[in-house]
Amino acid sequence: MATRGRIGVQLTDGSILSVYCHYDNYPSFNGVKLQEHFNSYDAATELIDGGDISCLWTNAGWNNEILPTTGALYYTSRGEEYNPPRIDSNLKQYLTDGAEEYAYLFKDGEWVCYNTRSWDEKYLQQVEIPVAVCA
């Protein structure tokens, strides 16, 4: 069972470029790893440029072998086709066009976490929660 998530970067026109991440998207893991290792616009966009991700931060390979480095495990490293980043025109589209439980967005120089399971259509936007306190 996975805790699915999206990881995105807000572009200058307000659109959001993002990828799917399959495992460990709880703020206590992926939220922490995003802050520790992908805490700049350049680092965040480089992460997203790799396409969809199985696990954001691991040293285990597809056959459970230990890899020489720790980092993102992309589906392309298993020989799958490259799934390019998705582009959404606005925040609402980014948060509602998938089945992920959490969405992370790098904007204004920091990561913000959204618990997409608590989306309420009555309100037109999700309340931003700093990654460190998102639950």
Side-chain angles (χ1 to χ4, degrees):
M1 181 98 178
T3 305
R4 299 161 298 168
R6 278 212 88 72
I7 300 171
V9 172
Q10 189 168 42
L11 305 176
T12 56
D13 66 358
S15 63
I16 298 168
L17 187 68
S18 70
V19 292
Y20 171 75
C21 183
H22 192 66
Y23 285 109
D24 299 326
N25 281 283
Y26 289 105
S28 59
F29 188 78
N30 275 5
V32 170
K33 297 305 177 190
L34 287 168
Q35 285 185 324
E36 288 177 350
H37 304 286
F38 305 99
N39 56 7
S40 70
Y41 183 82
D42 289 342
T45 55
E46 185 177 338
L47 172 71
I48 291 167
D49 284 346
D52 288 348
I53 301 167
S54 175
C55 185
L56 177 65
W57 198 254
T58 185
N59 69 343
W62 290 105
N63 297 313
N64 226 13
E65 73 278 14
I66 301 299
L67 300 174
T69 60
T70 302
L73 185 61
Y74 293 96
Y75 287 110
T76 54
S77 68
R78 186 167 61 181
E80 294 184 21
E81 283 189 35
Y82 173 72
N83 291 319
R86 184 178 90 190
I87 188 85
D88 293 302
S89 60
N90 57 52
L91 181 62
K92 185 172 182 181
Q93 183 182 21
Y94 173 63
L95 295 175
T96 59
D97 273 4
E100 298 88 6
E101 286 88 7
Y102 291 96
Y104 295 93
L105 181 60
F106 192 82
K107 66 177 196 168
D108 301 325
E110 66 181 4
W111 286 104
V112 177
C113 173
Y114 298 90
N115 180 343
T116 59
R117 294 174 294 181
S118 66
W119 181 267
D120 186 344
E121 283 297 325
K122 179 176 155 186
Y123 302 100
L124 295 179
Q125 63 183 351
Q126 183 73 294
V127 175
E128 295 179 5
I129 306 167
V131 170
V133 296
C134 181

